[in-house]
């Protein structure tokens, strides 16, 4: 099936640092989504992107829909302890199904 | 404002046993999905239902069956559980308006161990 390559797989950062992660696909997507999963919970939608080149922010989070439509980026500025979790990208061709990346696990070092 | 409710939250089965995972949403969503989450594998689609009365296979359907009981409920059944089905199972739903994806709302998961 369709694979999304998400990197890095894990990140260890100090509180206050900025975070960048990305997702690449071998195929074009019409929609890119970013989710966050807290321990023991289901993923929660952070940002949705619907147009190539689109840059969207949600508080300290900023995501971009790559102009090739094959990639997307998520940045978190000034990280705080509650940012800890697993971040997933997901892409859609505009049909019923989302394809998810393998996740980036974010850990904040005290 | 419950969203997507999954039951049970935890389950241990013996190899060969059967069970049904329940999922219900109260958001009047049309589409519902079952995913499994394994370490390093992300979320993989098992089955989905685009609307009441329809179901389709996803990426990893073998060993599972589903029932879209009504618009609210979508159940996942393991007829003969195997250790390879040890995983965390998530149900999700979306309103799926034409031309847009509004993203999924996920339940909190069922943690299944098959011994």
């Amino acid at each position: 099936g369709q694979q999304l390559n998400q990197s890095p797989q894990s990140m260890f950062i100090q509180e206050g640092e900025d975070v960048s992660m990305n997702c690449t696909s071998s195929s074009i997507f019409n929609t890119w989504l970013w989710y966050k999963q807290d321990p023991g919970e289901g993923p929660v939608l952070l940002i949705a992107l619907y147009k190539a080149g689109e840059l969207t922010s949600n508080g300290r989070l900023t995501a971009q829909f790559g102009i090739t439509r094959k990639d997307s980026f998520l940045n978190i500025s000034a990280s705080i302890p509650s940012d800890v979790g697993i971040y997933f990208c997901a892409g859609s061709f505009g049909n019923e199904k989302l394809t998810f990346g393998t996740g980036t696990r974010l850990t904040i070092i005290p | 404002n419950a969203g997507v409710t999954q039951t049970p939250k935890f389950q241990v089965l013996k190899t060969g046993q059967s069970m049904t995972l329940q999922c219900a949403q109260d958001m009047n969503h049309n589409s519902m999905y079952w995913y499994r989450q394994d370490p390093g594998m992300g979320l993989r689609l098992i089955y989905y239902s685009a609307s009441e009365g329809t179901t389709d296979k996803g990426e990893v359907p073998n060993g599972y069956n589903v029932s879209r009981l009504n618009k609210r409920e979508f159940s996942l059944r393991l007829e003969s559980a195997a250790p390879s089905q040890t995983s965390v199972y998530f149900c999700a739903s979306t309103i799926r308006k034409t031309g847009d994806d509004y993203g999924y709302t996920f339940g909190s998961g069922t943690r299944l161990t098959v011994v």
Side-chain angles (χ1 to χ4, degrees):
Chain A
Q2 173 69 39
Q3 292 288 325
L4 291 186
N5 297 312
Q6 192 169 345
S7 65
Q9 288 187 335
S10 60
M11 302 182 73
F12 296 85
I13 63 168
Q14 291 189 323
E15 184 177 349
E17 288 186 17
D18 296 343
V19 172
S20 292
M21 60 188 77
N22 68 79
C23 205
T24 59
S25 169
S26 57
S27 301
I28 290 172
F29 283 126
N30 295 329
T31 302
W32 281 98
L33 304 164
W34 284 93
Y35 286 84
K36 183 194 176 206
Q37 184 179 27
D38 291 326
E41 298 294 330
V44 173
L45 182 66
L46 297 174
I47 293 178
L49 302 158
Y50 300 115
K51 294 181 182 178
E54 180 180 356
L55 187 70
T56 298
S57 294
N58 178 5
R60 293 178 296 104
L61 277 63
T62 302
Q64 184 163 22
F65 192 141
I67 57 173
T68 65
R69 296 168 64 189
K70 292 184 177 182
D71 55 10
S72 181
F73 308 88
L74 177 69
N75 295 316
I76 305 172
S77 62
S79 59
I80 59 177
S82 62
D83 291 334
V84 166
I86 303 176
Y87 292 81
F88 289 101
C89 62
S92 171
F93 297 102
N95 56 15
E96 298 293 337
K97 297 179 286 186
L98 287 181
T99 299
F100 284 84
T102 52
T104 295
R105 183 180 295 274
L106 180 63
T107 302
I108 295 183
I109 304 168
Chain B
N1 190 14
V4 178
T5 303
Q6 289 184 237
T7 55
K9 291 190 180 299
F10 301 93
Q11 184 71 50
V12 178
L13 290 178
K14 293 183 178 179
T15 298
Q17 286 185 319
S18 62
M19 78 161 295
T20 300
L21 281 63
Q22 306 288 351
C23 175
Q25 52 90 9
D26 61 1
M27 297 170 287
N28 201 34
H29 284 175
N30 298 318
S31 302
M32 298 185 72
Y33 309 81
W34 276 104
Y35 283 86
R36 61 177 289 173
Q37 183 178 24
D38 302 293
M41 302 288 288
L43 290 150
R44 293 182 293 169
L45 182 64
I46 305 171
Y47 270 93
Y48 69 104
S49 171
S51 61
E52 186 178 354
T54 67
T55 60
D56 285 287
K57 295 179 180 179
E59 182 184 354
V60 288
N62 291 344
Y64 306 95
N65 285 302
V66 290
S67 295
R68 183 73 182 267
L69 304 171
N70 48 55
K71 191 171 186 179
R72 290 186 65 248
E73 298 172 286
F74 188 39
S75 63
L76 178 72
R77 183 161 178 84
L78 287 70
E79 291 291 351
S80 179
S84 61
Q85 294 179 304
T86 293
S87 187
V88 181
Y89 292 85
F90 287 101
C91 178
S93 69
T94 184
I95 195 165
R96 187 64 182 92
K97 280 190 175 183
T98 301
D100 288 294
D101 277 311
Y102 285 82
Y104 296 177
T105 300
F106 283 86
S108 57
T110 295
R111 284 144 188 83
L112 176 67
T113 302
V114 183
V115 298

